[in-house]
Amino acid sequence: MSVHCSIRKAKSSEVLHAMKMGMVVRSPSFFDFLPFILALPIQSSGLSTVDLEAEALLNWKTSLKNHTLVSWFLRTSNSTNHCSWIGIKCNDGRNVIEINLSNFYFEGTLNQLNFFSLPHLTGLNLSMNHLEGKIPKSIGSLSKLGFLDLGDNQFMGSVPEEIGNLTELRFISLSGNDLSGPIPYQLGNLQKISQPLFPGAKN
């Protein structure tokens, strides 16, 4: 409230000064305050990419059943130690680059895993678990992903065409699931894959 008041006072003084100088002054519009409005969410959240990655992983963990991810917790409220969590590998900047949780036998879905919060991910291996439901379309946001293994789970539905956005992929396996429908033509964009696809889709 005080910020808006001070802005209005500043604008009023500018208008009076301009009138004295014989200048034409327009009234402040929404666009005058747009930079302040856009800055507010960023300043209020205060979360770095590293924080968002840890938060995304913890939110997903809470949705899983029969997991053994006991190392997945924050030591303090203002410290992220997710690079030491089982199945997680980070780069020098403490950004998550690999998630390898193959053969952990946990149950759940990928619905609560926010892929948009994992922009540095290059490898994702969740094979041989009991994951079900649909493969989220948001997985197509992982632009740096080079390895994707979701095989031997219980995923259903169609193969999302958004996987065709993962042009850095060199390996993909979706076999051993209950996927159905045709293979999206967008998967033809995956030019770096050096071996056949194993989508496990049933026509």
Side-chain angles (χ1 to χ4, degrees):
M1 192 69 178
S2 59
V3 174
H4 293 295
C5 291
S6 60
I7 293 175
R8 283 197 292 268
K9 290 180 180 178
K11 291 292 183 181
S12 298
S13 61
E14 291 172 7
V15 171
L16 290 174
H17 178 71
M19 290 175 64
K20 292 179 180 179
M21 299 298 294
M23 297 170 59
V24 177
V25 180
R26 62 178 178 84
S27 300
S29 67
F30 167 80
F31 296 99
D32 292 315
F33 303 106
L34 188 57
F36 299 99
I37 297 173
L38 293 176
L40 287 176
I42 299 174
Q43 295 172 350
S44 60
S45 64
L47 293 178
S48 65
T49 303
V50 172
D51 295 325
L52 292 173
E53 290 174 345
E55 184 180 76
L57 294 173
L58 286 177
N59 286 340
W60 182 51
K61 173 192 171 182
T62 59
S63 71
L64 300 176
K65 298 178 181 178
N66 299 325
H67 65 77
T68 56
L69 306 178
V70 293
S71 66
W72 284 31
F73 71 96
L74 298 181
R75 295 194 182 99
T76 62
S77 59
N78 59 354
S79 174
T80 52
N81 57 295
H82 62 285
C83 294
S84 63
W85 294 352
I86 188 170
I88 302 299
K89 181 179 179 180
C90 295
N91 58 18
D92 292 338
R94 298 182 61 77
N95 296 115
V96 176
I97 57 174
E98 291 183 16
I99 300 176
N100 186 354
L101 296 174
S102 177
N103 205 24
F104 272 64
Y105 297 106
F106 49 69
E107 303 173 13
T109 71
L110 294 181
N111 296 339
Q112 301 302 317
L113 182 53
N114 187 355
F115 291 112
F116 295 107
S117 294
L118 299 166
H120 301 277
L121 202 63
T122 61
L124 178 62
N125 188 351
L126 301 176
S127 62
M128 293 185 286
N129 288 295
H130 298 288
L131 294 171
E132 57 184 11
K134 294 183 177 181
I135 300 175
K137 295 181 179 181
S138 57
I139 199 169
S141 67
L142 302 175
S143 60
K144 296 183 180 180
L145 200 65
F147 183 98
L148 175 62
D149 193 347
L150 301 178
D152 296 304
N153 281 286
Q154 298 164 13
F155 289 113
M156 302 176 64
S158 59
V159 177
E161 62 184 43
E162 287 76 10
I163 288 181
N165 297 332
L166 307 178
T167 54
E168 294 300 315
L169 275 182
R170 288 173 170 79
F171 175 88
I172 179 174
S173 176
L174 305 177
S175 63
N177 288 287
D178 295 318
L179 298 170
S180 59
I183 299 174
Y185 72 87
Q186 289 87 351
L187 269 64
N189 298 331
L190 309 180
Q191 300 295 320
K192 294 185 178 182
I193 292 179
S194 57
Q195 59 186 44
L197 301 178
F198 300 99
K202 303 173 183 177
N203 293 320

